[in-house]
């Protein structure tokens, strides 16, 4: 027996090893929105589906677009193709995507409307095709690739459900919160319960990791951040870990700034995803000290390319090189990005 023999249950996939706290000479890589409009094959499959929601709800096509980036790039993970707003639809809100404009939803702005939402255990009726997508992927993914499921965090989903669309300042959600804090908390609680059901079913269908996207966490300050970003995340993580012992969870409180500090400890997350508004030096000193971090190259480099793309990528890898790290962008890749820049990024990471 050698001293270096791995524990019998130690993970072998690179992403799972990072999430278990292992520092690796070359960090594993995947990319937010890695299946998306910067790929011509994505646009073709989306056209075949007819519209974005049909793509999300047709398991064979959703699995196909999930796999497309893996045929071009050697990513260490695949992320389920779906959207964070589907849960609102599963709770009874109307959801549609206005071509070229983004999501639209019917609005929930009062306690009575929150009370009229469906109960959490009913979300599976609408969301079952998503679980089928995951089951297909468990059969078709390359064996070393980790399958990531996801949901929006309650606050971020609530910002769309109150406004009926994306907003710059999340004004309608803040207005509901200010007018009736208890009523707004009921919405957050309903989303928290539904998200536990949804992610738990994703894990049962084959997701090996789940990620919570709190894209608008940065607009919550002080006690509002504690009550509506941190606490719901902690509740979801505790419930998932009770039902699925050992399931690794990535939290992404985007633009949380100083509130990134201690977020993993306070919520039980195994990894905190960093947006590109925080510097890697700062995050290594203040966030990675608690465990795995993911991030955080600015998505603009996937558009601009050039020598800076390589220097920035190498700088981030080096800065997080003393601890567990999953290389990623700080936010989703944009439709104007060039696939050849993704290749250059991967080469720069792997040296
Ligand atoms: O990362 C992945 O590749 C997995 C799939 C995924 C999508 N959306 C596909 C998508 C994930 C994880 C999301 C998350 C999501 N969706 C978030 C959180 C992450 C973030 O970007 O901050 C948010 C806020 C949404 C809501 C949403 N969906 C918006 C605001 C939009 C329109 C904006 C845009 O980028 O066009 C979408 C549409 C959407 N979701 C697209 C994709 C690939 C583009 C739809 C299309 O094909 O036209």
């Amino acid at each position: 027996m050698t001293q270096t023999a791995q524990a019998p249950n130690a993970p072998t996939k690179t992403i799972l090893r990072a999430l278990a706290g292992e520092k690796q000479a070359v960090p594993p890589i995947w990319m937010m929105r890695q299946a998306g409009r910067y790929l011509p094959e994505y646009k073709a499959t989306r056209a075949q589906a007819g519209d974005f929601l049909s793509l999300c709800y047709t398991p064979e096509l959703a699995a196909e677009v999930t796999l497309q980036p893996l045929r071009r790039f050697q990513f260490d993970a695949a992320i389920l193709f779906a959207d964070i707003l589907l849960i609102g639809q599963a709770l009874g809100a109307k959801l549609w995507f206005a071509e070229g404009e983004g999501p639209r939803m019917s609005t929930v702005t009062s306690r009575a409307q929150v009370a009229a939402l469906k109960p959490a255990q009913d979300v599976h009726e609408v969301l079952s095709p998503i679980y089928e997508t995951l089951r297909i992927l468990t059969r078709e993914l390359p064996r070393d690739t980790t399958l990531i499921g996801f949901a929006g965090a309650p606050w971020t989903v609530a910002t769309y459900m109150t406004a009926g669309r994306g907003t710059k300042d999340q004004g309608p959600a803040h207005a509901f919160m200010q007018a009736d804090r208890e009523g707004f908390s009921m919405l957050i609680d309903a989303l928290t319960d539904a998200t536990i059901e949804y992610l738990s079913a994703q894990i049962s269908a084959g997701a090996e990791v789940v990620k919570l996207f709190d894209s608008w966490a940065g607009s919550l300050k002080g006690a509002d951040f504690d009550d509506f970003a941190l606490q719901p995340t902690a509740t979801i993580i505790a419930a998932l870990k009770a039902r699925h012992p050992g399931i690794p969870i990535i939290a992404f409180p985007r633009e949380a700034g100083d509130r990134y500090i201690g977020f993993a400890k306070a919520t039980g997350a195994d990894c905190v995803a960093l947006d590109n508004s925080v510097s890697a030096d700062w995050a290594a000193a203040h966030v990675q000290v608690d465990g795995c971090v993911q991030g955080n190259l600015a998505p603009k480099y996937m558009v601009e390319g050039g020598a800076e793309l390589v220097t920035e990528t190498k700088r981030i890898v080096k800065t997080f090189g003393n601890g567990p790290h999953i290389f990623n962008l700080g936010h989703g890749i944009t439709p104007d990005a060039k696939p050849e820049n993704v290749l250059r990024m991967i080469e720069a990471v792997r040296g």
Side-chain angles (χ1 to χ4, degrees):
M1 281 278 283
T2 64
Q3 292 292 314
T4 52
Q6 293 227 307
N9 294 322
T12 53
K13 295 184 180 184
T14 54
I15 297 265
L16 299 178
R17 284 162 56 190
L19 291 169
E22 187 185 324
K23 171 181 114 175
Q24 292 167 86
V26 175
I29 317 174
W30 68 280
M31 203 171 62
M32 279 186 264
R33 291 276 171 100
Q34 64 190 28
R37 285 161 295 177
Y38 74 108
L39 294 177
E41 60 270 34
Y42 169 83
K43 287 193 241 180
T45 308
R46 188 179 175 293
Q48 189 189 339
D51 63 85
F52 176 68
L53 284 177
S54 303
L55 180 54
C56 292
Y57 287 122
T58 307
E60 294 72 23
L61 297 183
E64 164 60 21
V65 292
T66 304
L67 293 166
Q68 283 170 349
L70 299 166
R71 298 192 188 113
R72 281 184 184 249
F73 313 114
Q74 289 191 347
F75 287 127
D76 294 280
I79 183 160
L80 164 72
F81 191 84
D83 197 81
I84 66 161
L85 302 180
L86 305 184
I87 192 97
Q89 193 174 29
L91 286 169
K94 292 197 167 51
L95 171 68
W96 67 102
F97 279 77
E99 196 61 52
E101 286 179 50
R104 295 287 184 274
M105 297 183 90
S106 55
T107 59
V108 177
T109 55
S110 71
R111 228 182 249 218
Q113 286 172 318
V114 174
L117 294 172
K118 291 185 190 167
Q121 62 272 21
D122 286 7
V123 297
H124 306 305
E125 207 177 304
V126 167
L127 298 171
S128 57
I130 309 306
Y131 314 144
E132 182 56 23
T133 304
L134 287 162
R135 284 190 287 266
I136 295 172
L137 288 167
T138 59
R139 298 192 293 267
E140 299 202 352
L141 274 186
R143 65 192 342 254
D144 296 331
T145 310
T146 299
L147 181 54
I148 303 178
F150 73 91
W155 161 251
T156 288
V157 177
T159 66
Y160 290 90
M161 289 181 79
T162 50
R165 59 196 298 153
T167 50
K168 283 208 163 65
D169 60 358
Q170 297 74 58
H174 285 285
F176 188 176
M177 189 197 301
Q178 249 106 64
D180 180 6
R181 196 173 178 93
E182 209 183 307
F184 185 72
S185 298
M186 287 166 55
L187 174 58
I188 294 294
D189 290 347
L191 285 165
T192 300
D193 293 345
T195 304
I196 292 165
E197 290 302 319
Y198 183 34
L199 289 177
S200 186
Q202 288 188 28
I203 296 162
S204 298
E208 298 168 283
V209 174
V210 292
K211 177 170 174 184
L212 275 170
F213 285 88
D214 213 348
S215 303
W216 298 115
S219 85
L220 291 170
K221 306 294 170 205
D224 293 343
F225 184 92
D226 291 323
D227 292 351
F228 301 124
L230 192 146
Q231 206 30 254
T233 298
T235 302
I236 293 166
I237 292 176
L240 291 176
K241 290 199 181 255
R243 291 192 199 181
H244 309 273
I247 184 75
I249 300 168
I250 304 172
F252 183 32
R254 192 171 73 91
E255 295 193 352
D258 284 350
R259 300 302 309 262
Y260 269 120
I261 300 173
F263 195 82
K265 273 192 178 154
T267 59
D270 300 274
C271 177
V272 173
L274 302 161
D275 67 80
N276 49 279
S277 74
V278 296
S279 83
D281 282 312
W282 177 86
H286 297 285
V287 186
Q288 198 187 23
V289 286
D290 292 334
C292 187
V293 292
Q294 176 180 283
N296 72 339
L297 182 70
K300 68 171 184 187
Y301 292 109
M302 297 298 98
V303 182
E304 294 170 4
E308 263 186 74
L309 154 60
V310 175
T311 35
E312 264 302 288
T313 300
K314 287 187 183 293
R315 190 183 63 78
I316 289 168
V317 170
K318 186 161 183 250
T319 307
F320 291 124
N322 295 321
H325 177 217
I326 298 169
F327 191 90
N328 205 308
L329 303 179
H331 201 190
I333 188 167
T334 52
D336 54 346
K338 295 196 185 72
E340 73 240 35
N341 291 330
V342 177
L343 270 179
R344 289 194 74 191
M345 171 186 79
I346 293 172
E347 275 168 28
V349 171
R350 301 209 170 120

